[in-house]
Every structure is written in C-alpha cells, then in structure tokens.
C-alpha cells in the first residue's frame, strides 16, 4: 500500500496500480450487476472499462465474474478477490486520512477444532475461524474494526480465496467521522461487531440503523488469546 505525492491513496501489485477511479468502477459493478451498467452510470466507455478490468486482473487476479449475453456483455459480479481489494483500499484510505485508533470487538469462546495454526472457536454469535495458540481451549477473540468488511446482504461470494468468517446481521449504530464511519452490527450474539468503513462505502451500502448487512473478516486477521478464567 502506498500514497501518491498528490495525496491520493492507491494500491500496487505486480506493476498494476489501483486508484480511487478503479474502485469506483468495481463498486458500480457490484451495485449495478453488470460492467455495462456500471460504465454507463459513471459516464465511461464500456470498452475502456472492460479493458481496465483486464489490466487490473493482470496484477490482482480475477475481480469480475462475467456471464455471457447481450451486446453489453451480460451480467457481472465481483469475486472474493475483488471484495478483499475494496476492503484493503478502504483501510489504506482510512489510514491516509488520519483515522482514530482502531477499536476491537472481543468474543469469548471455546476451541472445538484445530487445523495447524487455524482453529474453529465456538462463540456466542456462531463458529469463528481464527489463529489460535497451541494448548489452549478457552480463548478471547480480538477482531479489529478495520479488518471487518461490510457487504450488501447475501452478496458475498461463496467461493473464497482464503478462510473467511461471514455473518449476516443488522446495523445497530452508524457514527460518522470526518473521513470514516464507525458501524456497529448486531450479528446475533450478546456482543455486536464493530466495523470501520470510509464515507464512500457507507453511502454506497446505504448504511443506517435497522438495515440488513453482511459482515466478513479473514481468519488470519482474527487472533485468539488464552482467556483469563473468572
């Protein structure tokens, strides 16, 4: 992750740079369900937008799932890789704008299964995959709010590029800041999940109390610590 000299956040990988303009295109694809409709909404050329997606995929992997049909190229949806990319861009942009220190959600639970360094922890809202220390059974899970990604309801691809935790929930609170928004989501347990998103993402997702939303966070970004028995 880097920042331009003119203060624009961007991401680089494999010699390919993702800018805010690229992020706008991907978000429009997610919202409109096709690359053609996304380009039209943004006032861009469909052929140039299609070319740009191909360029981005050369560096970052497949970002758009395409379905055949029609002169506009049929429908399109974002892959898990694209969702991860948008989330990473949000985190870079939030860091760049001088966001306040990240907050954490803490769940308590019991390790019920292990596979190498990863384990499945039974928590109040449901099973969570996390990095678990050896020899522990009762743990506390710490999830930073800037590691949580928010998606439209039921929009997260089932085929993921890495172990990922996913919960459907309802927005409980939205607290806007100067450049970012802190969101509290009820995911069915006693402890709500905290998320940190940019103003742009909050507006795109139309986040408001009572609205449904899907949350996700990587297992590798979820740390388990031995619980202090009381």
């Amino acid at each position: 992750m880097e920042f331009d000299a003119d203060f624009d956040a961007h991401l680089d990988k494999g010699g390919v740079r993702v800018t805010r303009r690229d992020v706008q295109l991907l978000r429009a694809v997610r919202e409109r369900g096709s690359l053609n409709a996304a380009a039209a909404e943004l006032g861009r050329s469909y052929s140039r937008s299609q070319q740009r997606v191909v360029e981005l995929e050369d560096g970052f992997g497949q970002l758009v799932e395409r379905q055949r049909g029609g002169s506009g190229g049929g429908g399109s949806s974002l892959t898990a890789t694209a969702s991860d990319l948008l989330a990473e861009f949000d985190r870079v942009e939030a860091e760049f704008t001088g966001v306040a220190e990240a907050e954490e959600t803490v769940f308590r639970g019991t390790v019920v299964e292990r596979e190498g360094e990863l384990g499945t922890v039974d928590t109040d809202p449901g099973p969570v995959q996390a990095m678990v220390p050896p020899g522990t059974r009762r743990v506390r899970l710490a999830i930073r709010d800037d590691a949580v990604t928010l998606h439209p309801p039921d929009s997260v691809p089932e085929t993921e590029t890495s172990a990922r935790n996913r919960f459907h929930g309802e927005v409980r609170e939205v607290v806007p800041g100067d450049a970012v928004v802190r969101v509290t989501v009820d995911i069915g347990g006693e402890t709500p999940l905290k998320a940190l998103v940019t103003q742009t993402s909050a507006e795109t997702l139309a986040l408001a109390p009572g609205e449904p939303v899907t949350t996700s966070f990587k297992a590798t970004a979820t740390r388990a610590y031995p619980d202090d028995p009381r």
Side-chain angles (χ1 to χ4, degrees), residues 84-136:
D84 287 344
L85 178 62
L86 292 178
E88 179 65 13
F89 190 90
D90 270 358
R91 285 192 286 272
V92 170
E93 194 167 48
E95 179 182 340
F96 174 66
T97 54
V99 65
E101 185 177 352
E103 298 181 2
E104 289 185 339
T105 300
V106 177
F107 295 126
R108 281 184 162 85
T110 303
V111 179
V112 295
E113 187 177 345
R114 294 176 183 270
E115 185 176 348
E117 296 176 331
L118 286 177
T120 300
V121 181
D122 186 15
T123 71
D124 189 33
V128 174
Q129 288 187 295
M131 303 289 290
V132 296
T136 56

Side-chain angles (χ1 to χ4, degrees), residues 213-228:
V213 70
T214 295
T215 69
S216 69
F217 48 95
K218 288 184 177 181
T220 50
T222 309
R223 300 286 172 174
Y225 303 93
D227 196 6
D228 182 16

Side-chain angles (χ1 to χ4, degrees), residues 11 24 29 40 59 74 86 111 118 135 144 175 205-206 222:
L11 298 172
Q24 290 172 343
V29 170
L86 292 178
V111 179
L118 286 177
R144 287 169 55 102
V175 181
L205 293 168
T222 309

